[in-house]
Amino acid sequence: MSACVGVLKRRLGALCPAGFASPLQPLRCPGGGRWESSTQTGETLRPLEGVRVLDLTRVLAGPFASMILGDLGAQVIKVERPGAGDDTRAWGPPFVASESAYFLSVNRNKKSIAVDLKHPRGAQIVQQLAGVCDVLLENYVPGKLRQMGLGYEQLSGLNPRLIYCSITGYGQTGPHAQSPGYDSIASAVSGMMHITGPEGGDPVRPGVAMTDLATGLYAHGAVMAALLQRQKTGRGVHIDCNLLSSQVSCLSHIAANYLNARKEARRWGTAHESIVPYQGFKTKDGHIVVAAGNEKQFVRVCQVMELMELTEEPKYKTNKLRVENRKQLLHTLSQRFLQETTADWLKKFKGSGVPIGPINSIHEVFSEPQVQRFISAASLQAAQHPLL
Amino acid sequence: MSACVGVLKRRLGALCPAGFASPLQPLRCPGGGRWESSTQTGETLRPLEGVRVLDLTRVLAGPFASMILGDLGAQVIKVERPGAGDDTRAWGPPFVASESAYFLSVNRNKKSIAVDLKHPRGAQIVQQLAGVCDVLLENYVPGKLRQMGLGYEQLSGLNPRLIYCSITGYGQTGPHAQSPGYDSIASAVSGMMHITGPEGGDPVRPGVAMTDLATGLYAHGAVMAALLQRQKTGRGVHIDCNLLSSQVSCLSHIAANYLNARKEARRWGTAHESIVPYQGFKTKDGHIVVAAGNEKQFVRVCQVMELMELTEEPKYKTNKLRVENRKQLLHTLSQRFLQETTADWLKKFKGSGVPIGPINSIHEVFSEPQVKHNRLVQEMNHPTAGRIAVVGPAVHFSSFSPSGPTPPPLIGQHTVEVLRDVLSYSDDIIETLLESKAVVQNKVS
């Protein structure tokens, strides 16, 4: 420990302006510190206990990633500008007292320090923190942090073990690198909106910022990959995560269809291009989704819906034929689905082996027994918020 | 190494039926083996070099996760049933020769062994592989693998260091645990469809299976978290990833709005509930998305669109007011956007500081200079399909480059190779197994 502190003191001494005494006491070295004073046994140790994350990100992608790292046991220090802090604190209604629900949703398990990065002593504090952290997460437009002395080359010079994960809209370099990242724009540019929406209708975006969230998920994994790599190399790394690359990668087979067969994608509503019936239907009081992927399941659907005559129709005999004659078949099924409620259909289909489920509102999601299991577990661990 | 092999031999001896000699030669212990014989220097070492993944998953969520682990350097052994293999091999058109584009898109960097899990020797081979792998990934309905002797308790009994990651539709236990996981159903049940679709219109699903993909992303991280944890505890773990939990977690603020304020969500098309203008607009020849998040940007929008009179309107002065009077404002803007092409609007808005972008078709995506710059297209040679292209890794690390992926395997392409090199089976044993149809080797290796 003492060699480590010695190195750190020398490095921080180099950082501090002349005459400014280093405020440091014997420090914990990166990766060796513990936040809580209680001892964790080996059996209850969380995977990232002892890992310290310096989180300069704001809004969604970055905070989502650091939240998951915090859930896994990392110590997350969230750096915010004094005053407003993370923009999302103000994103409401709804608010719960002074806190926006938005901010509350992605910022548990973090400690907040309010630092003015434009103040030279503020930037210095962040440099010093980077010296004793394992991971730095940031989502500034490339170059901005470097101007403040907080770029990758600068901080890894001070702490070669630092894992520096940058999250941007389009990447660290390239023609769009200077464009700030917005989920809806990235969702548009990356093709996600083009493929989402009603058949024959206009594009829409996913109802929650899946591009931001996918990027945060990629980032949380990349950070852990870098931690694993550092154990062999002894060095940190600069990670480039961005909304565009994350969403384009998630196009997976849609992209492969184009890249290999020049097949353009289109919007299908809830339907499947090559399987019928495999989509949502309106019911008397809502919507339901059926996924009948093969002949056996199609026959079951007809049984449950009391439309056995459809199984006799030659033009519906195989999936290929059902796809060719989809309009007519779907019309017949749609008319029948309208006649009963969602709950009644679910009852009728129970035990049939046909994959089926309701299109739940958010209220209905949190009434699902399968979801409630996870909510009660979380509530038991919920921390008391100081202001609520 | 020898103590490890000794333990392994005793455990495998316990597995083998009486009279069946253990085929094992000195093995690599989990985490210590290397696929390639070339030595990697510290600088180009990928993060998961030396980690071996036994991948029993099929379709999308699991294969997507194991593909990313393979991109990071792990050795991925994909276990497929003889004959059809992974269902998605048949999901086309389009096909590239015999391979579906779907299968090609999420299966690079893996070796395929064709094993009949219902054959007792087949199950045994998978048990033995689990004994020498670090990670097992599976997406069977809970209980199915246990029936074959391949459940978590059984395999971790043989290999206490095994990280066993289960991916299902709804979780390992609970009222829906036995329901197979389908992305469109999970997307419906989890609330994702309810919030996606045109304003005043019907719900739709995201155009690609984001629920499956988010689950795969959660899983790839969870596996690495477990690897990190194992270094401290010396033990593996059972991980429960499922489509429902992944998508509900991704509801983030939408969920928090409900859980804290009982605020139900609704569909907004491309629009934003609390920021105007922040949405897509039809242009003369396509669609464009503008995200004017504050007063300064709104004024810029009006400047560029030559609608300065809007900045004088009291009812559009602040975002709050624009939200209250959205219908009228959006109508005015929509009419104006229709008058020019997407390309012209992008030109006009360039340098304005207003976030803006085209709604790209897939063709347009792959014409974007930034997409090319980010090296998102990975090309490789496939033994029967020839030159193929898929979307490459999303994340770049300064410490290594994502070069040289191996092509997605043919079904059972590496059966003999894996039995010989990973389990050290002799040629005779391999021959017997092939004859018994417990395993199948593709004619291409």
Side-chain angles (χ1 to χ4, degrees), chain A residues 288 304 341-352 356:
Chain A
I288 206 165
V304 171
T341 62
T342 302
D344 281 345
W345 281 123
L346 292 171
K347 249 190 243 121
K348 287 180 200 284
F349 272 94
K350 202 173 162 71
S352 66
I356 189 166

Side-chain angles (χ1 to χ4, degrees), chain A residues 42-43 45-49 60 64 68 72 93-94 96 101-102 105-106 152 170-171 173-177 182 184-185 188-198 202-208 210 213-214 217-218 220-222 224-229 231-233 235 237-242 244-261 263-265 269-272 278 282 287 289-291 297 355-363 365-366 368-371 373-375, chain B residues 42-43 45-49 64 68 72 94 96 101-102 105-106 170 173-177 182 184-185 188-198 202-208 210 213-214 217-218 220-221 224-225 227-229 231-233 244-245 247-261 263-265 269-272 278 282 287 289 291 297 355-363 365-366 368-371 373-374 376-377 388-400:
Chain A
E43 287 316 307
L45 210 61
R46 286 182 295 172
L48 300 183
E49 297 280 353
L60 185 57
F64 189 67
I68 302 175
L72 293 170
V96 191
Y102 197 117
S105 71
V106 290
Y152 170 65
Y170 302 91
T173 56
H176 283 294
Y182 289 82
S184 45
I185 312 259
V189 174
S190 67
M192 186 66 197
M193 277 198 205
H194 172 76
I195 61 177
T196 302
D202 286 333
V204 299
R205 56 178 183 77
V208 72
M210 286 307 295
L213 296 162
L217 286 169
Y218 268 114
H220 102 287
M224 287 190 283
L227 284 166
L228 286 163
Q229 187 182 40
Q231 293 167 345
K232 299 172 196 161
T233 62
R235 300 187 62 82
V237 65
H238 191 188
I239 299 169
D240 179 346
C241 285
N242 63 86
L244 178 70
S245 297
S246 302
Q247 187 62 74
V248 172
S249 289
C250 286
L251 293 181
S252 60
H253 57 98
I254 305 281
N257 289 353
Y258 175 78
L259 292 171
N260 294 289
K263 182 177 183 210
E264 181 56 68
T270 60
H272 198 294
Y278 201 100
K282 255 191 166 115
H287 295 86
V289 174
V290 173
Q297 284 174 350
I356 189 166
I359 294 186
N360 279 333
S361 67
I362 305 307
H363 169 77
V365 169
F366 290 104
E368 280 281 346
Q370 189 74 23
V371 172
R373 296 164 52 81
F374 299 110
I375 300 290
Chain B
E43 286 317 304
L45 211 60
R46 286 183 294 172
L48 299 184
E49 297 280 353
F64 190 67
I68 301 174
L72 293 170
V96 191
Y102 197 115
S105 71
V106 290
Y170 303 90
T173 57
H176 284 296
Y182 289 81
S184 45
I185 312 259
V189 174
S190 66
M192 186 67 198
M193 278 199 205
H194 172 75
I195 60 177
T196 301
D202 286 334
V204 299
R205 55 177 184 79
V208 72
M210 286 308 294
L213 295 163
L217 287 169
Y218 268 114
H220 103 286
M224 287 189 282
L227 285 167
L228 286 162
Q229 186 180 43
Q231 293 168 346
K232 297 172 196 162
T233 63
L244 178 69
S245 298
Q247 189 62 75
V248 172
S249 288
C250 285
L251 292 181
S252 59
H253 56 100
I254 304 279
N257 288 353
Y258 175 79
L259 292 172
N260 293 290
K263 182 180 185 208
E264 181 57 67
T270 59
H272 198 296
Y278 202 101
K282 258 196 167 117
H287 296 85
V289 175
Q297 284 174 349
I356 189 165
I359 294 184
N360 278 334
S361 67
I362 306 304
H363 170 77
V365 169
F366 290 104
E368 280 282 346
Q370 187 71 36
V371 169
H373 179 87
N374 289 0
L376 284 171
V377 178
I388 61 167
V390 295
V391 182
V395 181
H396 287 148
F397 295 74
S398 62
S399 51
F400 67 93

Side-chain angles (χ1 to χ4, degrees), chain B residues 57-68:
Chain B
T57 66
R58 296 86 26 101
V59 186
L60 186 56
F64 190 67
S66 64
M67 175 180 76
I68 301 174

Side-chain angles (χ1 to χ4, degrees), chain B residues 54-58 79-80 115-119 122-124 126-127 130 136-156 162-168 172 178 238-239:
Chain B
L54 186 63
D55 181 10
L56 273 60
T57 66
R58 296 86 26 101
V79 178
E80 300 185 71
V115 187
D116 181 0
L117 294 185
K118 303 208 163 109
H119 192 297
Q124 200 171 64
V126 175
Q127 278 174 336
L136 183 150
L137 273 176
E138 62 91 6
N139 72 331
Y140 284 75
V141 166
K144 285 266 163 8
L145 285 179
R146 195 184 317 124
Q147 289 169 12
M148 300 185 245
L150 302 173
Y152 171 66
E153 292 78 11
Q154 295 151 322
L155 295 182
S156 65
L162 182 67
I163 288 151
Y164 191 113
C165 180
S166 296
I167 296 174
T168 55
Q172 289 292 299
Q178 292 297 306
H238 190 188
I239 300 170

Side-chain angles (χ1 to χ4, degrees), chain A residues 84-253:
Chain A
D86 186 319
D87 284 330
T88 61
R89 288 181 178 279
W91 287 15
F95 290 91
V96 191
S98 62
E99 305 300 290
S100 76
Y102 197 117
F103 181 83
L104 294 176
S105 71
V106 290
N107 286 287
R108 63 175 177 265
N109 285 328
K110 305 177 193 180
K111 297 196 181 234
S112 167
I113 66 173
V115 185
D116 181 2
L117 294 185
K118 302 210 166 108
H119 191 295
R121 286 200 186 175
Q124 202 171 59
I125 284 165
V126 175
Q127 280 175 334
Q128 291 174 353
L129 282 168
V132 296
C133 286
D134 298 283
V135 180
L136 183 150
L137 274 175
E138 61 90 6
N139 71 333
Y140 284 73
V141 166
K144 283 267 160 18
L145 285 179
R146 194 182 320 122
Q147 288 169 13
M148 298 187 245
L150 302 173
Y152 170 65
E153 292 79 13
Q154 295 152 321
L155 294 183
S156 65
L158 295 173
N159 178 5
R161 289 173 59 80
L162 183 66
I163 289 154
Y164 191 112
C165 180
S166 295
I167 297 175
T168 55
Y170 302 91
Q172 288 292 299
T173 56
H176 283 294
Q178 291 298 304
S179 303
Y182 289 82
D183 174 274
S184 45
I185 312 259
S187 187
V189 174
S190 67
M192 186 66 197
M193 277 198 205
H194 172 76
I195 61 177
T196 302
E199 236 184 298
D202 286 333
V204 299
R205 56 178 183 77
V208 72
M210 286 307 295
T211 302
D212 260 336
L213 296 162
T215 305
L217 286 169
Y218 268 114
H220 102 287
V223 163
M224 287 190 283
L227 284 166
L228 286 163
Q229 187 182 40
R230 188 176 72 174
Q231 293 167 345
K232 299 172 196 161
T233 62
R235 300 187 62 82
V237 65
H238 191 188
I239 299 169
D240 179 346
C241 285
N242 63 86
L243 302 184
L244 178 70
S245 297
S246 302
Q247 187 62 74
V248 172
S249 289
C250 286
L251 293 181
S252 60
H253 57 98

